[in-house]
């Protein structure tokens, strides 16, 4: 489903360069639940952002279903990012002035023309309600993020990531900011999604969290070991 070819990424560090990714080769098969582990600062978020087209590598390529994504037009890349990839962050990144339903609808509003949005609004709202129910937040649908617990906020973020039915779900330390009970709820949701066929790549430094995935890889010295 997704494959990387020798990804390199540097960051400027004073007069020097920090070589974060030094030739990352990685393959994720359809339906897989993969955990990527590594120490703090090892480049896990950097790698995940590149897989999610939120950042570009300095060298190398990401292939989604055999297609090199960074060689496509910007418009095509934007479309892939919006439609085919769902992203869950450690700190939720919800919009505080929008309620649960509106936060979940956001990718649809951004990804469609006004005309399309108006035409598809009914179907889209039904889909949003379905994913909100699937993460158990139907009672909170009209609440704003400030009135939700951390675990509930993360469930909103998962619903938002899923509303477009992405091929690939990427999660960066999705339980890193939660207590163990709320964290378990999130991981149960991931397990259930994966059983239903969702491909998931999750980054974590917690071995217990990674143990729930099918396969674990370590990012060490800028490479997959
Ligand atoms: N935009 C940036 N500019 C400069 N340096 C950066 C930038 N983003 C990340 N870095 C550096 O690159 C290295 C890898 O960062 P990254 O966030 O990918 O690590 P990580 O493995 O996700 O760590 P953590 O487990 O703490 O989240 C770190 O040393 C970080 O300081
Ligand atoms: Mg990180």
């Amino acid at each position: 489903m997704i494959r990387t070819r020798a990804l390199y990424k540097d960051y400027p560090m004073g007069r020097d360069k920090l070589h974060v990714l030094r030739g990352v080769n990685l393959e994720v098969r359809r339906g897989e639940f993969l955990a990527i582990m590594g120490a703090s600062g090892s480049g896990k978020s950097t790698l995940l952002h590149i897989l999610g087209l939120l950042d570009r590598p300095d060298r190398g390529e990401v292939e989604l279903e055999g297609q090199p994504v960074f060689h496509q037009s910007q418009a095509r890349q934007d479309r892939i990012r919006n439609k085919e990839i769902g992203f869950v962050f450690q700190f939720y990144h919800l919009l505080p002035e929008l309620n649960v339903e509106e936060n979940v609808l956001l990718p649809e509003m951004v990804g469609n023309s006004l005309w399309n949005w108006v035409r598809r609004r009914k179907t889209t709202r039904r889909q949003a309600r379905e994913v909100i129910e699937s993460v158990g937040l139907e009672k909170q649908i009209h609440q704003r993020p400030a009135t939700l617990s951390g675990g509930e906020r993360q469930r909103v973020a998962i619903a938002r990531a899923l509303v477009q039915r992405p091929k690939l779900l990427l999660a960066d330390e999705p339980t890193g900011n939660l207590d163990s009970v709320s964290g378990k709820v999130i991981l149960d949701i991931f397990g259930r999604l994966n059983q239903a066929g969702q491909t998931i790549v999750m980054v974590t430094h917690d071995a217990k969290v990674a143990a729930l995935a099918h396969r674990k890889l370590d990012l060490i010295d800028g490479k997959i070991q």
Side-chain angles (χ1 to χ4, degrees), residues 39-46 48-49 90 172-173 203 205:
S40 181
S42 59
K44 303 183 297 296
S45 296
T46 304
L48 209 65
H49 288 165
Q90 179 173 352
D172 191 355
E173 300 275 8
V203 150
H205 60 259

Side-chain angles (χ1 to χ4, degrees), residues 36-181:
I36 300 174
M37 297 196 63
S40 181
S42 59
K44 303 183 297 296
S45 296
T46 304
L47 173 59
L48 209 65
H49 288 165
I50 292 172
L51 291 179
L53 279 65
L54 297 168
D55 200 356
R56 293 183 69 91
D58 295 329
R59 267 190 291 151
E61 187 48 282
V62 172
E63 291 174 3
L64 185 66
E65 317 255 46
Q67 296 291 318
V69 293
F70 291 110
H71 277 81
Q72 318 244 5
S73 68
Q74 196 55 51
R76 179 76 192 121
Q77 287 181 41
D78 292 344
R79 202 185 141 74
I80 294 172
R81 188 187 311 108
N82 183 253
K83 300 274 181 208
E84 311 207 5
I85 297 171
F87 213 107
V88 177
F89 302 89
Q90 179 173 352
F91 295 104
Y92 329 129
H93 294 323
L94 303 173
L95 291 187
E97 61 277 20
L98 301 184
N99 69 24
V100 169
E101 184 183 32
E102 292 158 348
N103 265 290
V104 171
L105 282 169
L106 205 60
E108 284 279 349
M109 298 177 78
V110 172
N112 283 299
S113 64
L114 184 61
W115 163 245
N116 254 332
W117 160 250
V118 170
R119 193 167 55 85
R120 290 168 35 87
R121 191 169 41 188
K122 260 201 165 141
T123 325
T124 307
R125 288 188 75 171
R126 183 164 39 71
Q127 281 169 6
R129 276 166 192 276
E130 277 171 21
V131 286
I132 290 166
E133 276 171 32
S134 77
V135 298
L137 285 178
E138 58 279 8
K139 289 208 186 81
Q140 289 87 352
I141 194 162
H142 297 304
Q143 287 179 224
R144 291 186 184 191
T147 69
L148 300 174
S149 72
E152 289 165 345
R153 288 180 206 185
Q154 193 59 303
R155 277 141 69 192
V156 179
I158 294 171
R160 179 186 55 192
L162 292 173
V163 72
Q164 311 246 56
R165 304 180 194 285
K167 289 181 183 150
L168 179 63
L169 181 64
L170 301 175
D172 191 355
E173 300 275 8
T175 62
N177 204 28
L178 300 175
D179 62 75
S180 59
V181 176

